[in-house]
Amino acid sequence: MGTNTSVVDSKLRFHWRLPEAGETDGAVVTRDRDARDRGRPDLQAQASFCVRAESAGIDSVLVNLQFSVPDPMTLSLALATRTERMRFMVAVRPGLMSPTLLVQQVNTFAVLTGGRICLNMVAGHSPDEMRYYGDSQPHDQRYERMEEFLTVCRAFWQSQEPVDFKGRHYVIEQGRLNTRFVSDRETQPEIYLGGASAGAQEVAARHATVWMRFPDRPGTLRQDIQPVLSRGAAVGLRMSIICRPSRDEALEVIRTLMSSPQIEAKRRSEASFVKKSDSQSVRSVFEMAQDEWLTPSLWSGGAGVLGAPSIALVGSPDEVVAGILEFKEAGISHFIFSGWPKVDEMVRFGESVLPLVRRLEAASAARPTATPGGRKVVYRLD
Amino acid sequence: MRFHWSLSQVGDPFRRAAATRDMSGRIDLQCKIDFCQRAEQCGIDSVLMAIGFTRPDPMLLSVALGKETNTLKFMVACRAGLLSPTMFVQQINTVSSLLNGRVHINMVCGHTPGELRYYGDFLDHDARYERTDEFLTVCRSFWADAGDVDFDGTYYQIKGGRLHTRFSPDPARGPEVYVGGNSGPAAALAAKHAHCWWRLAEPPVRVAASVGVVLDSGCEVGLLVSLIARPTHEEARRAASALIGKFGDDAREVHRRFARGSDSVGFVSTYEAATADQEWLTPYLWTGAVPFLGAPAIALVGSNEEIAQALLDYNRIGVTQFLFTGWPDLDEMTSFSRHVLPRVRELEGRDGDEH
């Protein structure tokens, strides 16, 4: 990937996770293996979410992949036909299909939607679930395979010539695809790659547009992400947001959330999920959740029950905006948010958080030297 | 009888005359939407969404076209070597939910080893059929919707497999499965797994000799064939001559090369028959376009009445479905629905009365 560089006064980019069927009302959904409602696309509710996210100024919606939800590629395309600008961040796991077929699907998606697709590369975090798909790669080889997968994909996107690749996991001979990627912004889809392990970071630094991770205290984060930033990838946070007119009201949301009747079942299913997971980030966040608050506005108390993505910026719009900009100072340039309730939180973000972020970003761009000691962060534009 | 049409060359009727690397992979979406909407009016059951490196992805294109149609089904082609069977079922089930069940699958094993390697697939012909057998076994276990899927095979090992997105609208009934290929392994695979076996057209006696084991298993038989039906026999013959008058040595060379690189029994034998000066295999079954447009260009040529009779002749030996192409497809399909299909239904009724 080319390393066009720019300083950090570029605008932050905000993405939102698409609610699953049955989640749109804000209910707490467990990881229960029999929670079959989640598998059924709820086109009406999900399309309505996307339309509202589009007008709220959300960049893309993340559409997850796992056994309990619909296929994200085809679902995203159906949603894309009902929106105009919104992009779809489609989750992809290397173990499930040939990289050539993935590129063919992505390119077809791009042709049909004017390039409104980006990819969320995930290695998979549950060995049990991976075996549902016939995938039994151990953890360390999953990133080796991810590396090969992305090398093949990017060769298709970057070259007009036939693709040859000989690796341990993939061998491609004289590969061609006549349906090319189409977009007026870029020559290949942006790649958001998640994972905390050294393997994940290495692949992200080499191939990703954005390395996605879970949050931490900004000071710690600033140091942790330096190696990846210095190699030209941007860094994004997968997290939640609980914003209300006042801090007290936001705290009340947490109290309600944590005392909901399903929370005990959710606690059990999450503990069993974490126990079976071999993902380093899932485990380390679960341990981090022993602290209720990482900073006065960064709540981690739900992570043990609601999962790592539930670490949330909590407070009034001003407090949440301050938290976001503090992350930006630390070198973060993307966020993938979710919230409770799923739709209202996103709409509120668009109304009372995003405009303030943009105003402050514009003000700081007009005063480039106003942050003495603020370090210049380099990230990739393409 | 049920009738399907291939979307493969819609908007680009002579794409097969060009070298594969020159075939456009772009999508003339409006043209395909127009065709699909017309197909609904023409009584066509489904459109074939072929797979290959020269084309857009059939699964995604089906979603886009499905949004513009109401009753038409999409027969999505799949090759086992490209993705996990679990992932394939998840995609098909999602599409079934998005299109209210309007999806069939067309399982193919590939025809050109060189192309399969573009996708990282290096298996030989017979091994591909073994793998597809395993692939369909896994898929059908998911579609049986009867608990966790476990499978321990040579090519796939699935443990405790489950998917929460079930086939729509009826989870206990998966998609109709079509299996394509003229070879013995293809027939055996169809007999084991498919609702219908697709094979390239041959004269009725040859077809009759090959269908026994398939029909005995309860699987239907369908023919892939092109159509040139006109008001009179002479007009149809003239249209056939005019068609090949468009092509020269370049198109011939494209298919000479294709046949050399292919390990498809049906494609290669059809091509060989066509180039061995067997232009008319029966009074209506014509191979004249095959040297220029490839094996799927084997065509039924004749008056509307003759074509209707020819379809009935196949029907009497057990063929119950047809997958057509035409030049151009939109006109041929429209004419088929107006002038051939009503006559077919009439003859079918008469046949039914006799039995």
Side-chain angles (χ1 to χ4, degrees):
Chain A
M1 205 165 279
T3 47
N4 296 333
T5 57
S6 162
V7 287
V8 75
D9 44 43
S10 298
K11 283 159 62 172
L12 288 169
R13 286 173 58 189
F14 298 101
H15 316 271
W16 213 278
R17 172 183 166 281
L18 182 75
E20 291 160 7
E23 257 190 348
T24 35
D25 58 355
V28 175
V29 176
T30 67
R31 287 187 195 273
D32 192 332
R33 306 203 312 170
D34 296 318
R36 290 202 126 183
D37 285 351
R38 298 170 71 195
R40 219 181 143 69
D42 185 350
L43 252 194
Q44 205 177 346
Q46 288 171 322
S48 149
F49 179 89
C50 291
V51 168
R52 299 184 77 170
E54 187 166 77
S55 50
I58 300 300
D59 204 297
S60 73
V61 290
L62 168 65
V63 190
N64 275 335
L65 169 62
Q66 51 188 331
F67 80 97
S68 55
V69 299
D71 165 59
M73 185 73 77
T74 47
L75 176 60
S76 295
L77 180 60
L79 295 169
T81 62
R82 293 154 183 250
T83 50
E84 286 165 12
R85 301 179 307 279
M86 172 74 76
R87 286 202 243 193
F88 291 83
M89 190 184 293
V90 177
V92 173
R93 285 190 204 162
L96 308 187
M97 68 172 68
S98 148
T100 313
L101 181 65
L102 188 269
V103 172
Q104 190 164 10
Q105 293 204 331
V106 168
N107 290 2
T108 302
F109 193 115
V111 170
L112 291 168
T113 61
R116 292 190 287 129
I117 182 168
C118 50
L119 303 181
N120 177 36
M121 296 299 308
V122 285
H125 44 62
S126 157
D128 278 356
E129 190 206 5
M130 290 170 70
R131 280 189 281 270
Y132 299 177
Y133 292 88
D135 183 1
S136 55
Q137 288 288 332
H139 189 280
D140 53 335
Q141 284 179 28
R142 293 213 290 273
Y143 282 102
E144 181 187 280
R145 181 175 62 185
M146 174 88 85
E147 160 77 30
E148 291 192 8
F149 189 90
L150 287 173
T151 302
V152 173
C153 292
R154 291 180 60 210
F156 273 107
W157 285 316
Q158 288 169 0
S159 170
Q160 299 291 321
E161 297 301 309
V163 173
D164 280 296
F165 181 81
K166 199 160 189 172
R168 267 165 42 97
H169 305 273
Y170 303 103
V171 179
I172 306 292
E173 203 174 281
Q174 288 287 297
R176 305 162 183 273
L177 288 171
N178 288 7
T179 301
R180 311 290 305 183
F181 185 80
V182 176
S183 160
D184 50 15
R185 284 170 298 223
E186 56 215 5
T187 56
Q188 66 170 70
E190 290 185 321
I191 295 167
Y192 295 72
L193 194 150
S197 67
Q201 284 191 49
E202 177 59 26
V203 183
R206 291 169 64 101
H207 293 290
T209 322
V210 183
W211 175 45
M212 290 305 305
R213 49 160 295 157
F214 296 119
D216 203 335
R217 295 174 180 88
T220 315
L221 198 58
R222 180 196 298 271
Q223 287 179 347
D224 285 357
I225 66 178
Q226 194 50 43
V228 173
L229 285 177
S230 69
R231 292 175 67 184
V235 180
L237 297 180
R238 170 75 185 96
M239 60 184 300
S240 294
I241 209 162
I242 300 175
C243 180
R244 293 295 181 276
S246 71
R247 178 174 172 86
D248 282 350
E249 286 166 274
L251 293 177
E252 183 56 33
V253 173
I254 291 179
R255 272 192 294 276
T256 310
L257 194 61
M258 297 307 281
S259 59
S260 88
Q262 302 103 315
I263 211 78
E264 269 317 305
K266 180 74 185 161
R267 190 189 301 278
R268 282 193 301 275
S269 80
E270 190 63 21
S272 123
F273 168 76
V274 171
K275 209 170 108 199
K276 280 190 272 181
S277 175
D278 61 356
S279 155
Q280 197 170 319
S281 56
V282 167
R283 286 171 160 273
S284 64
V285 168
F286 192 72
E287 281 151 25
M288 199 155 76
Q290 308 311 318
D291 292 330
E292 190 85 0
W293 293 88
L294 296 175
T295 75
S297 63
L298 192 58
W299 176 65
S300 54
V305 182
L306 301 166
S310 74
I311 297 178
L313 275 171
V314 178
S316 68
D318 283 348
E319 288 164 336
V320 167
V321 169
I324 288 172
L325 293 176
E326 206 182 344
F327 280 131
K328 184 179 184 183
E329 274 297 302
I332 299 299
S333 47
H334 290 254
F335 293 87
I336 304 176
F337 285 130
S338 41
W340 303 272
K342 303 293 169 190
V343 182
D344 297 352
E345 192 71 58
M346 187 269 298
V347 171
R348 195 174 302 112
F349 173 84
E351 283 166 0
S352 50
V353 176
L354 188 51
L356 195 51
V357 170
R358 294 298 183 226
R359 208 151 55 235
L360 292 171
E361 282 183 320
S364 105
R367 294 177 279 111
T369 54
T371 49
R375 131 192 175 288
K376 293 203 164 182
V377 179
V378 172
Y379 78 96
R380 198 173 275 170
L381 281 181
D382 59 342
Chain B
M1 279 188 275
R2 285 164 69 189
F3 300 98
H4 311 264
W5 212 281
S6 172
L7 200 76
S8 298
Q9 55 175 24
V10 167
D12 185 8
F14 309 118
R15 63 179 272 126
R16 289 202 182 93
T20 49
R21 73 180 61 186
D22 299 329
M23 285 181 182
S24 170
R26 281 178 305 219
I27 306 169
D28 185 344
L29 190 61
Q30 192 54 50
C31 179
K32 296 197 188 298
I33 291 171
D34 292 345
F35 182 85
C36 289
Q37 291 176 343
R38 180 77 64 86
E40 290 193 323
Q41 298 160 7
C42 286
I44 297 300
D45 183 278
S46 78
V47 285
L48 172 67
M49 309 296 291
I51 193 163
F53 82 101
T54 64
R55 310 175 180 288
D57 175 70
M59 189 83 74
L60 290 169
L61 189 54
S62 297
V63 171
L65 294 171
K67 184 177 170 279
E68 308 291 336
T69 49
N70 298 308
T71 56
L72 186 67
K73 300 187 184 76
F74 295 85
M75 188 182 295
V76 178
C78 177
R79 292 185 192 150
L82 305 189
L83 74 172
S84 147
T86 312
M87 186 69 227
F88 177 67
V89 171
Q90 193 167 6
Q91 289 207 322
I92 284 289
N93 288 3
T94 303
V95 172
S96 77
S97 179
L98 297 170
L99 302 186
N100 195 27
R102 293 188 288 129
V103 58
H104 304 318
I105 70 167
N106 184 37
M107 208 64 211
V108 286
C109 292
H111 48 68
T112 305
E115 187 203 359
L116 296 171
R117 290 176 195 154
Y118 300 179
Y119 292 87
D121 181 5
F122 287 78
L123 290 190
D124 68 27
H125 182 274
D126 289 1
R128 295 204 301 273
Y129 278 95
E130 284 170 26
R131 179 181 55 193
T132 307
D133 176 21
E134 291 192 4
F135 187 93
L136 283 173
T137 302
V138 173
C139 291
R140 292 178 62 218
S141 302
F142 276 106
W143 285 319
D145 201 40
D148 294 2
V149 173
D150 285 290
F151 182 81
D152 190 11
T154 307
Y155 303 96
Y156 305 104
Q157 295 83 40
I158 309 289
K159 199 165 161 234
R162 50 177 68 208
L163 289 169
H164 281 184
T165 303
R166 299 192 283 171
F167 192 82
S168 279
D170 179 2
R173 191 194 62 88
E176 286 191 60
V177 176
Y178 292 75
V179 165
N182 277 39
S183 67
L189 184 69
K192 185 168 172 191
H193 292 293
H195 296 80
C196 181
W197 177 40
W198 282 137
R199 68 193 305 297
L200 279 165
E202 284 188 274
V205 281
R206 296 285 304 274
V207 174
S210 73
V211 297
V213 75
V214 175
L215 291 175
D216 287 349
S217 75
C219 176
E220 293 185 52
V221 174
L223 287 191
L224 274 64
V225 68
S226 294
L227 265 194
I228 302 181
R230 296 293 181 274
T232 67
H233 187 80
E234 289 66 35
E235 285 170 273
R237 284 263 189 161
R238 275 203 298 281
S241 303
L243 174 69
I244 57 176
K246 296 176 199 293
F247 306 113
D249 289 345
D250 287 356
R252 217 184 256 281
E253 181 54 30
V254 164
H255 290 284
R256 206 172 284 141
R257 228 178 303 124
F258 180 88
R260 275 203 299 271
S262 177
D263 64 359
S264 156
V265 169
F267 279 25
V268 171
S269 68
T270 305
Y271 179 80
E272 282 171 355
T275 48
D277 285 332
Q278 296 175 324
E279 200 177 331
W280 293 93
L281 300 181
T282 74
Y284 311 117
L285 190 60
W286 179 64
T287 65
V290 170
F292 306 98
L293 294 169
I298 188 168
L300 286 170
V301 179
S303 70
N304 294 323
E305 175 67 26
E306 287 167 344
I307 297 293
Q309 290 289 350
L311 297 180
L312 256 291
D313 288 345
Y314 280 116
N315 190 224
R316 290 192 185 103
I317 57 168
V319 176
T320 44
Q321 305 202 34
F322 288 86
L323 173 59
F324 293 131
T325 56
W327 301 280
D329 291 282
L330 187 70
D331 297 345
E332 194 69 49
M333 177 178 69
T334 308
S335 174
F336 170 79
S337 82
R338 284 188 192 147
H339 306 300
V340 181
L341 190 52
R343 182 67 180 137
V344 168
R345 295 300 183 217
E346 195 182 317
L347 293 169
E348 273 183 321
R350 200 175 298 168
D351 255 26
D353 293 343
E354 283 168 16
H355 291 151

